[in-house]
Amino acid sequence: MVNTLKSLTSYTQVKFIIITNSPHVIDEILYQTRSWPSTHQAKASFELVPLKYPEGFQDFKNLFRPCSALRLFLPTLLPDENAVIYMDSDVILLRPLEEFWGFFAEMGDKQAAAGVSFVPGYNKRPQV
């Protein structure tokens, strides 16, 4: 995960919002980022948000891995953010994130975009 974070700071200033119920996760991230070049460190800020599913959606935590289904609830978890890019921890950026952010300028306030790959046996649907 730290390599993903570092690849983001190669190009741009980034606010990382870490959603977890384990405070030691952010401590570990901060510890590992100390070895980054100062140019990367200066471009990163971190915020910890408690892992919490909205009322009535507790069954969603069993859809994927523990935090993965939370991406469905980012507007609820991050009400002060007007746009969010959710990335898995195995993503490495090869171009500036601003190029991707540019797509948001072309979208209305009720639109969302996503890209996924299908992995047989991994993607499950909730029993509602």
Side-chain angles (χ1 to χ4, degrees), residues 14-122:
V14 182
K15 173 184 174 183
F16 297 103
I17 301 174
I18 311 296
I19 301 171
T20 182
N21 57 0
S22 303
H24 78 277
V25 168
I26 197 143
D27 292 338
E28 181 63 25
I29 289 169
L30 293 174
Y31 174 77
Q32 289 188 30
T33 59
R34 287 187 200 140
S35 66
W36 291 1
S38 60
T39 54
H40 289 273
Q41 289 182 25
K43 293 179 182 177
S45 66
F46 297 90
E47 179 183 336
L48 180 65
V49 172
L51 185 152
K52 182 173 68 176
Y53 284 85
E55 190 174 321
F57 292 95
Q58 296 301 314
D59 290 343
F60 276 66
K61 65 178 143 186
N62 298 320
L63 282 178
F64 308 105
R65 295 186 183 192
C67 292
S68 294
L70 280 176
R71 68 186 117 187
L72 302 172
F73 307 106
L74 290 177
T76 303
L77 288 167
L78 308 172
D80 296 332
E81 304 299 326
N82 62 6
V84 174
I85 296 176
Y86 172 92
M87 296 175 62
D88 283 330
S89 61
D90 59 353
V91 172
I92 302 289
L93 286 184
L94 301 176
R95 299 182 66 168
L97 193 58
E98 286 90 352
E99 292 179 21
F100 189 67
W101 275 113
F103 289 110
F104 282 114
E106 299 175 23
M107 297 172 67
D109 63 349
K110 301 290 184 205
Q111 293 175 304
V116 298
S117 62
F118 179 73
V119 178
Y122 179 76

